[in-house]
């Protein structure tokens, strides 16, 4: 320790040598002082921490390190030591040789002579600069996150792994008018609409139990007592081992979006209603105009095709003009054979949402096929069956739909090409870039269509679920 001898240790030379080696090798600053604050020993770590060499500071007052505003603090420490008291983990501030402040945690113990009189003090000082910088960085990070969380438009919250909510952002309190004490844990149920809260609890508990992300839409009561609709999501936050350590959730106000969607849906239904009225008027005019039997037969076929178009419109309107489900379309077009569906008319294929163009083409094609089957084909007798199947082949990028009749009268190819044949062939090719096969085999008519998947399927990323 710079060659100086410890004061009043009263131990043998070998023990002193071991103690000196420990002090010299310590990463903490270790020094000793007299009761009036004169430095007696000073290790290498103290030199590094404060910038003074042992030769510069030994024999000088420890007050060289004390900031002017902490002189009284130093007086109090020396007074405690003189009374034989120890000071443990005392956080303070001292000065380096260059005048820069350094945060420290200090432990001080009285040094006694052989007569057990207090003659000085030992001091161990640890630099807290890096710890303080880390704490400052953490505090700044927390402040930034707090500012971000409190100023996003969503209500946000965090929960323990078991779902016990321990934090809400400012937006939550501004909207609900609640306090943390009122909504902590499971208290949030108080601001849920009574018609929805049981469903919400059941679904979110399922996520707490399984770790699956949660999503739901429901109304929340505001501070004014009115309810607004929120799209709510929560994701599990996991540690490196995959264990859930907390949940982070948001509630996004979708009230206006829902109102707009409802308004759009109302307008579409009104438009659809007016279009059907127009189609009905066209049918009435056609019936009144037709004079001969041939003209009346034309009107009948024409009317049935208008009805098929209206059925297509219904499917599209229900889906918000975002395509339509293939099975829903088939059942809509074959509704007049409702008692035969799933018995003599068999459906087989995955749940897929069709494009608007595909709905229009397939709907009219199904109408023509069903009409012909009812008049001349498998549905004109009690023993016939129709098998409608569809599939999606992602590897080939293709969609395929097939209509196959069996058990009906012997099939004969038509002598002339009518609108139905044109619809089943040329229009599908042009609209969907499809390959068409129409086979008038004696055992039963079959119609096949294959087209690029992007022409027929609206959402290629959605998983297919088989239904039949």
């Amino acid at each position: 320790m710079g060659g100086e001898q410890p004061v009043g240790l009263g131990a043998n030379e070998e023990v002193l040598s071991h103690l000196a080696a420990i002090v010299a090798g310590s990463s903490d600053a270790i020094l000793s002082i007299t009761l009036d604050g004169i430095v007696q020993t000073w290790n290498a770590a103290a030199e590094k921490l404060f910038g003074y060499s042992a030769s510069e500071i030994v024999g000088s007052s420890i007050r060289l390190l004390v900031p002017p505003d902490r002189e009284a603090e130093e007086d109090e420490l020396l007074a405690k030591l003189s009374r034989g008291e120890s000071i443990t983990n005392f956080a303070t501030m001292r000065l380096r040789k260059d005048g820069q402040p350094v945060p420290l945690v200090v432990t001080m113990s009285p040094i006694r002579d052989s007569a057990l009189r207090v003659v000085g003090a030992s001091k161990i000082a640890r630099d807290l600069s890096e710890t303080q910088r880390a704490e400052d960085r953490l505090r700044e990070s927390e402040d930034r996150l707090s500012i971000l969380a409190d100023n996003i438009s969503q209500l946000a919250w965090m929960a323990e792994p078991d779902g016990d909510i321990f934090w809400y952002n400012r937006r939550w309190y501004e909207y609900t008018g609640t306090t943390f004490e009122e909504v902590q844990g499971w208290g949030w149920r108080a601001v849920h609409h009574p018609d929805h809260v049981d469903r919400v609890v059941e679904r979110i508990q399922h996520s707490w139990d399984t770790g699956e992300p949660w999503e739901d839409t429901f109304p929340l009561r505001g501070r004014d007592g009115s309810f607004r609709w929120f799209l709510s999501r929560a994701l599990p936050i996991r540690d490196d081992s995959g264990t859930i350590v907390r949940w982070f959730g948001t509630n996004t106000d979708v009230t206006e979006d829902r109102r707009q969607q409802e308004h759009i849906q109302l307008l579409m239904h009104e438009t659809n209603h007016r279009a059907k009225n127009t189609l009905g008027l066209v049918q009435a005019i056609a019936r009144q105009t037709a004079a001969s039997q041939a003209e009346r037969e034309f009107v009948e076929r024409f009317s049935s095709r208008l009805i098929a178009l209206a059925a297509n419109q219904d499917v599209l309107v229900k889906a918000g003009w975002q395509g339509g489900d293939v099975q829903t379309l088939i059942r809509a077009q074959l509704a007049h054979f409702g008692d035969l569906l799933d018995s003599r008319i068999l459906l087989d294929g995955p749940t897929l949402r069709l494009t608007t163009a595909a709905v229009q083409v397939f709907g009219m094609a199904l109408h023509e096929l069903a009409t012909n089957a009812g008049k001349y084909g498998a549905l004109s007798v009690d023993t016939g069956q129709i098998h409608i199947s569809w599939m999606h082949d992602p590897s080939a990028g293709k969609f395929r739909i097939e209509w196959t009749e069996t058990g009906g009268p012997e099939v004969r190819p038509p002598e002339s090409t009518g609108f139905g044949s044109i619809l089943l062939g040329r229009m599908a090719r042009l609209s969907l870039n499809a390959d068409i096969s129409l086979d008038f085999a004696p055992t039963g008519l079959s119609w096949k269509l294959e087209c690029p998947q992007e022409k027929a399927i609206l959402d290629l990323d959605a998983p297919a679920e088989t239904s039949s």
Side-chain angles (χ1 to χ4, degrees), residues 75-139:
D75 292 339
E76 184 178 351
L77 293 175
L78 290 172
K80 287 184 177 181
L81 290 165
S82 66
R83 295 193 298 268
E85 298 179 22
S86 296
I87 295 99
T88 304
N89 294 329
F90 179 73
T92 186
M93 188 75 67
R94 292 296 183 259
L95 298 176
R96 301 182 193 274
K97 182 180 179 180
D98 60 7
Q100 293 297 313
V102 54
L104 304 172
V105 60
V106 175
T107 296
M108 302 177 71
S109 300
I111 297 174
R112 301 176 185 272
D113 62 11
S114 57
L116 299 181
R117 293 172 301 188
V118 177
V119 295
S122 66
K123 180 183 290 188
I124 302 174
R126 179 168 295 171
D127 187 356
L128 293 181
S129 299
E130 187 56 42
T131 301
Q132 192 171 82
R133 282 193 289 269
E135 290 176 350
D136 290 342
R137 288 194 295 269
L138 179 60
R139 191 177 303 108

Side-chain angles (χ1 to χ4, degrees), residues 55-272:
S55 60
E56 289 178 303
I57 200 166
V58 170
S60 300
S61 174
I62 194 66
R63 294 180 186 274
L64 283 173
L65 310 178
V66 180
D69 61 346
R70 291 183 180 263
E71 289 287 351
E73 176 187 280
E74 186 68 16
D75 292 339
E76 184 178 351
L77 293 175
L78 290 172
K80 287 184 177 181
L81 290 165
S82 66
R83 295 193 298 268
E85 298 179 22
S86 296
I87 295 99
T88 304
N89 294 329
F90 179 73
T92 186
M93 188 75 67
R94 292 296 183 259
L95 298 176
R96 301 182 193 274
K97 182 180 179 180
D98 60 7
Q100 293 297 313
V102 54
L104 304 172
V105 60
V106 175
T107 296
M108 302 177 71
S109 300
I111 297 174
R112 301 176 185 272
D113 62 11
S114 57
L116 299 181
R117 293 172 301 188
V118 177
V119 295
S122 66
K123 180 183 290 188
I124 302 174
R126 179 168 295 171
D127 187 356
L128 293 181
S129 299
E130 187 56 42
T131 301
Q132 192 171 82
R133 282 193 289 269
E135 290 176 350
D136 290 342
R137 288 194 295 269
L138 179 60
R139 191 177 303 108
E140 290 173 3
S141 177
E142 290 175 344
D143 288 344
R144 287 194 294 268
L145 288 175
S146 179
I147 291 171
L148 175 63
D150 284 337
N151 289 280
I152 60 176
S153 58
Q154 290 98 339
L155 317 183
W157 46 270
M158 285 190 287
E160 301 289 357
D162 62 357
D164 189 61
I165 297 180
F166 62 86
W167 173 86
Y168 294 91
N169 71 342
R170 187 176 64 194
R171 295 289 188 198
W172 169 275
Y173 298 114
E174 289 175 349
Y175 174 73
T176 62
T178 58
T179 64
F180 177 70
E181 289 71 24
E182 292 173 321
V183 292
Q184 66 177 319
W186 287 79
W188 49 266
R189 290 174 292 185
V191 298
H192 276 250
H193 195 285
D195 293 346
H196 297 265
V197 65
D198 290 341
R199 170 182 60 83
V200 173
V201 169
E202 180 181 355
R203 293 186 63 175
I204 201 169
Q205 184 63 58
H206 175 76
S207 290
W208 299 154
D209 295 339
T210 63
E212 297 174 4
W214 171 71
E215 180 174 318
D216 204 347
T217 305
F218 45 76
L220 290 175
R221 188 182 68 241
R223 63 170 59 241
D224 62 356
S226 64
F227 285 89
R228 294 182 68 83
W229 283 86
F230 286 83
L231 170 63
S232 301
R233 297 186 175 100
L235 293 174
I237 308 301
R238 302 177 184 271
D239 61 17
D240 293 339
S241 66
T243 302
I244 296 175
V245 294
R246 66 179 55 88
W247 288 81
F248 178 74
T250 59
N251 308 90
T252 304
D253 191 334
V254 294
T255 305
E256 296 306 320
D257 290 341
R258 285 176 63 89
R259 287 174 180 166
Q260 291 177 7
Q261 290 299 322
E262 290 170 358
H263 183 61
I264 290 171
Q265 193 72 14
L266 178 63
L267 290 176
M268 286 195 298
H269 280 296
E270 178 64 20
T271 301
N272 190 41

